[in-house]
Amino acid sequence: MKYDLPTKEGYYGEFGGKFVPEILIPVLEELEEAYEQAWNDVSFQKEYRQLLNEYVGRPTKLTYANRLTDHYGKAKIYLKREDLCHTGAHKINNAIGQILLAQRMGKNRIIAETGAGQHGVATATACAKFGVDCIVYMGAEDMERQKLNVERMRLLGTEVRPVTSGSQTLKDATNEAIRDWVTNVEDTFYIIGSVVGPHPYPKMVRNFHRVIGDETRSQLAEAEGREIPDYLLACVGGGSNAIGIFYPFIEDESVQMYGLEAAGLGANTDQTAATLTIGQPGVLHGSMSYLLHNSEGQIQLAHSISAGLDYPGIGPEHSYLHKTKRVNYKAITDGQAMEGVKLLSETEGIIPALETAHAVAYLDELMPKTSKDEIVVLNCSGRGDKDMTTISKNL
């Protein structure tokens, strides 16, 4: 299959687009033009790749999980180790790319929003590296759940602004970041951390993360003599780490891809973040995608044990891949995610982020269907240090 989305207007099927206040349209057009010029500029690519190599620590390892494989006695399991990136998660790939773009555009004030704090830390790190002022909006509840990351951002010189409206989580932090952006468009660059928001953000963030899948292809070829796995697994909140590993394999139809979203206390309860499992199309934060709605058609508050998955929407490209059934999206409860934390910790000596643990948990359902000559690659989006308080409370 040939895959060349998004369209020029930023659509993936019916999803995507630019649903923003009129004042932001020329800002997005300027951003799109700057991004396309940069992405096709050899000097930009050289600087970006050099930073990924020397500062981020790429390529990250593709680790054969021998004890996890023995645990199931079925297909070989490999782990793509984004937890080994500088700052402890894949988010730094995109933060470095966008800060380079901001520099080219002459924008010297950076804003961002964060849920679990990993995107906030990545943005704060990139701003410290380039000596740029940075403000990160974060829900008050998420600040309580992710105290360590709040302190890391402050140590890096970033101002963390608490958001006390609504559910005090990522959705509300995003609302505040957009308000700031609308007010300060002349000198401010908004670094969005996932494949969400108005065009060109979903495309831009995807392309800054496709390095995950590109590396997986070449590393698998070296390890197994073939660059195509049989299964790819990744957790999905907004969906940045998942699209990063999925995108280079979309045209390889033999690869079965699974995105694992957060069911919270259960997909059919009101304490869930299972957007694709129970959601409906709608507009949130600048684009059309699947969203959680309540009975009155309003955005429903999301819940997940993982602050990084606690979001009532998802990226428009994932919405398209779900509707066309190219990717299978499954819901994992908080309890299953905790079992995933314990399993990876005890078999491989790797404490995964709670986000990643949702993907680990799905192995229980997937692995019995596999055979020993098949290969599974699971993307480890981040490490679990940031979640230790929550993990300890729920063990």
Side-chain angles (χ1 to χ4, degrees), residues 53-368:
N53 179 262
E54 296 178 1
Y55 189 66
V56 173
R58 303 207 72 91
T60 58
K61 297 294 184 183
L62 184 70
T63 301
Y64 173 52
N66 62 303
R67 292 200 63 231
L68 190 59
T69 297
D70 291 345
H71 175 78
Y72 289 106
K74 291 285 187 173
K76 279 186 172 179
I77 302 172
Y78 281 86
L79 306 174
K80 182 56 177 166
R81 301 292 306 282
E82 293 301 289
D83 57 314
L84 298 180
C85 286
H86 178 46
T87 72
H90 69 290
K91 295 289 188 183
I92 190 75
N93 304 323
N94 170 60
I96 290 291
Q98 290 200 46
I99 195 90
L100 284 177
L101 195 53
Q103 296 281 291
R104 286 172 73 105
M105 296 177 70
K107 306 277 187 178
N108 294 314
R109 180 176 181 268
I110 300 295
I111 60 169
E113 88 299 320
T114 194
Q118 290 300 85
H119 171 56
V121 169
T123 302
T125 299
C127 288
K129 175 71 175 170
F130 283 84
V132 181
D133 291 338
C134 181
I135 297 168
V136 171
Y137 290 90
M138 191 170 186
E141 181 174 322
D142 287 341
M143 289 179 70
E144 180 64 26
R145 289 194 286 186
Q146 300 291 340
K147 288 180 180 176
L148 176 61
N149 276 341
V150 172
E151 293 308 312
R152 290 169 76 190
M153 284 185 273
R154 287 173 172 160
L155 183 60
L156 291 161
T158 281
E159 177 188 349
V160 183
R161 289 190 180 173
V163 176
T164 57
S165 58
S167 59
Q168 304 184 28
T169 58
L170 180 57
K171 175 178 74 69
D172 312 291
T174 305
N175 289 340
E176 289 304 317
I178 291 174
R179 287 192 189 97
D180 183 319
W181 193 29
V182 170
T183 308
N184 300 288
V185 292
E186 292 300 322
D187 67 344
T188 297
F189 190 102
Y190 179 14
I191 296 184
I192 292 182
S194 195
V195 284
V196 299
H199 180 68
Y201 277 103
K203 174 183 177 181
M204 208 165 61
V205 177
R206 176 194 74 188
N207 288 349
F208 284 135
H209 281 306
R210 67 166 293 168
V211 64
I212 304 171
D214 288 338
E215 286 179 5
T216 299
R217 291 186 78 107
S218 61
Q219 291 170 324
L220 202 54
E222 186 175 342
E224 293 287 342
R226 62 173 168 127
E227 62 181 32
I228 308 295
D230 298 287
Y231 304 92
L232 284 175
L233 273 65
C235 63
V236 178
S240 61
N241 90 92
I243 209 70
I245 196 166
F246 290 166
Y247 179 59
F249 293 95
I250 287 177
E251 294 185 359
D252 299 300
E253 295 183 44
S254 66
V255 182
Q256 297 185 49
M257 298 190 282
Y258 290 85
L260 292 315
E261 61 180 5
L265 302 186
N268 294 315
T269 72
D270 61 358
Q271 297 289 299
T272 184
T275 311
L276 291 176
T277 304
I278 64 167
Q280 296 295 325
V283 171
L284 178 66
H285 297 148
S287 67
M288 173 76 75
S289 65
Y290 276 90
L291 309 172
L292 297 179
H293 294 100
N294 62 22
S295 58
E296 297 175 343
Q298 301 297 313
I299 300 300
Q300 178 179 310
L301 298 181
H303 163 79
S304 170
I305 193 172
S306 166
L309 304 183
D310 197 350
Y311 184 65
I314 191 165
E317 191 162 16
H318 284 292
S319 296
Y320 174 77
L321 294 172
H322 166 65
K323 188 161 186 177
T324 57
K325 302 187 186 304
R326 178 63 188 95
V327 177
N328 304 292
Y329 293 90
K330 305 289 184 180
I332 300 295
T333 65
D334 290 350
Q336 290 174 298
M338 280 302 303
E339 292 301 317
V341 170
K342 288 192 283 186
L343 178 62
L344 195 62
S345 300
E346 293 172 1
T347 57
E348 293 295 332
I350 298 170
I351 301 173
L354 280 167
E355 292 88 343
T356 303
H358 286 69
V360 177
Y362 187 66
L363 292 172
D364 277 352
E365 183 173 335
L366 175 68
M367 294 307 293

Side-chain angles (χ1 to χ4, degrees), residues 31-40 101 203-204 207-208:
L31 173 61
E32 185 177 1
E33 182 179 350
Y35 166 72
E36 294 295 344
Q37 286 180 359
W39 191 246
N40 294 299
L101 195 53
K203 174 183 177 181
M204 208 165 61
N207 288 349
F208 284 135

